[in-house]
Amino acid sequence: MNEIIRVENLHKSFHSLHVLKGINFKVAKGEIVSVIGPSGSGKSTLLRCLNHLEVADKGSISFEGQYIAKADTTGKAVYKSNKEVLAICSNLGMVFQNFNLFPHKSVVENIIEAPMMVKGKSKEAAGKIAEELLNKVGLLDKRDAYPNQLSGGQKQRVAIARALAMEPEIMLFDEPTSALDPELIGEVLQVIKKLAEEHMTMIIVTHEMNFAREISDRIIFMDDGQIVIDGVPDDIFVNPDHPRIKTFLNKVL
C-alpha cells in the first residue's frame, strides 16, 4: 500500500463535547474514500483536522510519512511549526459545503489568488492553469463572471477548480452537494467522477449514498465520533452486519 495519509488515535473536543474519539485509518495514493454517517458524527471535524482548520487534542496525522502532528508520551497531539504544517497541508485541496468564493473577485481571480500568493506563480502562469481547469469543469465561458452571477452548482465547480489550482496530492470534499438544489447536484458529482477517473486521491464526506457506492474504493461509516466500519462498498450497502448501519441506511435510502 502506497500510503499517503495516516491517522492514529485522533481525538478532538469542543469544550465538553467530545467529537472525535480515537479515529484510526489510512488512505493509499489514488484511493477514493467516502465518509458517511449521521449528522453530528464527526465527519466534517475529521476533515478539518486533516487540513489543520481544527487542531486535534490527541493523536497523530501524517501525509506521505511527514507528521503534521505526532502524539507525545501522554497521547497529546504535538504539531510541527505553523510554517511546516502549512507547507505539508498545501498538498491538500479542500472543497466546502458553501463554496467560500470571494464575492468581490471574478471566477478567474478566485482561482489564481492562491497559486500566486502561496506558490509564487506569475499572473500569466496562474491564469493559464485557471483556464485549463475552468475548461475541465465546463465553465471557461464564466471566467470573467462574479460569484453572484453563478448558480450553486457553478459556484461549487469553480471552488473545485480553485482547489485543483494548487496542484494538490489529495482532495478533501466536505459534503460538496449539500447546499445545492437537487437538479444541480449531478453537475458537481460529474466533476468529482472525472477526478476519480484520473486517480486523484480523495476523501469525500457525503450524504449521496448511491454516488458513494459507485465511486468509492472504501467507505468509512462514522457514528458518535468513532469509525464503526471501514470497508469496501458492498460491506456497507449489500451486507451490512452492524445494526447501526442498517438503521442509518433505512433512513437515507
Side-chain angles (χ1 to χ4, degrees):
M1 174 172 169
N2 192 357
E3 182 181 293
I4 197 165
I5 295 179
R6 178 187 285 254
V7 174
E8 298 168 295
N9 195 34
L10 200 69
H11 287 259
K12 174 65 183 173
S13 295
F14 296 100
H15 306 295
S16 61
L17 184 64
H18 195 177
V19 179
L20 298 179
K21 304 173 181 176
I23 299 290
N24 295 282
F25 72 95
K26 300 175 203 168
V27 178
K29 192 171 180 63
E31 197 171 25
I32 297 156
V33 178
S34 289
V35 184
I36 65 170
S39 295
S41 57
K43 305 182 299 294
S44 293
T45 301
L46 174 59
L47 280 198
R48 292 175 69 82
C49 285
L50 288 181
N51 73 351
H52 202 232
L53 290 174
E54 300 289 354
V55 175
D57 303 317
K58 290 183 174 180
S60 303
I61 304 168
S62 69
F63 299 106
E64 297 186 310
Q66 294 186 80
Y67 282 94
I68 67 163
K70 194 165 190 178
D72 66 10
T73 51
T74 68
K76 181 175 184 278
V78 178
Y79 280 80
K80 286 187 169 176
S81 72
N82 255 345
K83 189 178 177 185
E84 288 174 295
V85 170
L86 285 171
I88 297 168
C89 287
S90 69
N91 289 312
L92 286 87
M94 180 88 171
V95 176
F96 300 87
Q97 294 178 37
N98 294 313
F99 327 128
N100 289 13
L101 299 176
F102 298 118
H104 60 290
K105 290 183 182 286
S106 70
V107 163
V108 77
E109 286 168 342
N110 263 282
I111 296 171
I112 66 175
E113 173 102 348
M116 288 169 61
M117 300 290 288
V118 180
K119 292 209 159 182
K121 288 191 184 291
S122 69
K123 188 170 184 178
E124 186 184 20
K128 190 167 182 291
I129 291 168
E131 293 204 341
E132 286 170 6
L133 290 169
L134 284 171
N135 192 41
K136 181 176 194 155
V137 300
L139 289 174
L140 188 54
D141 60 327
K142 300 290 186 186
R143 68 183 305 285
D144 297 316
Y146 283 80
N148 66 358
Q149 299 170 304
L150 304 177
S151 70
Q154 289 170 333
K155 287 178 191 172
Q156 194 60 293
R157 285 188 279 156
V158 172
I160 293 170
R162 182 182 59 181
L164 290 170
M166 289 295 285
E167 299 168 325
E169 294 274 322
I170 307 154
M171 285 287 283
L172 307 177
F173 292 89
D174 187 9
E175 297 185 15
T177 59
S178 67
L180 301 180
D181 293 333
E183 70 270 18
L184 300 177
I185 289 171
E187 65 190 61
V188 173
L189 297 183
Q190 204 56 46
V191 172
I192 300 174
K193 279 182 190 171
K194 199 183 285 185
L195 293 176
E197 287 163 10
E198 295 168 4
H199 307 293
M200 168 66 81
T201 310
M202 295 190 274
I203 302 177
I204 307 165
V205 170
T206 184
H207 284 113
E208 299 290 330
M209 293 301 127
N210 290 329
F211 175 69
R213 181 177 181 178
E214 178 189 345
I215 199 173
S216 307
D217 299 303
R218 273 169 50 222
I219 307 254
I220 288 173
F221 176 80
M222 286 182 69
D223 190 32
D224 192 28
Q226 296 176 306
I227 291 177
V228 178
I229 190 167
D230 176 348
V232 297
D234 281 0
D235 291 345
I236 305 281
F237 294 106
V238 180
N239 301 306
D241 59 0
H242 195 288
R244 185 65 194 89
I245 298 170
K246 287 179 182 173
T247 306
F248 172 73
L249 290 177
N250 284 340
K251 286 181 179 171
V252 298
L253 289 178

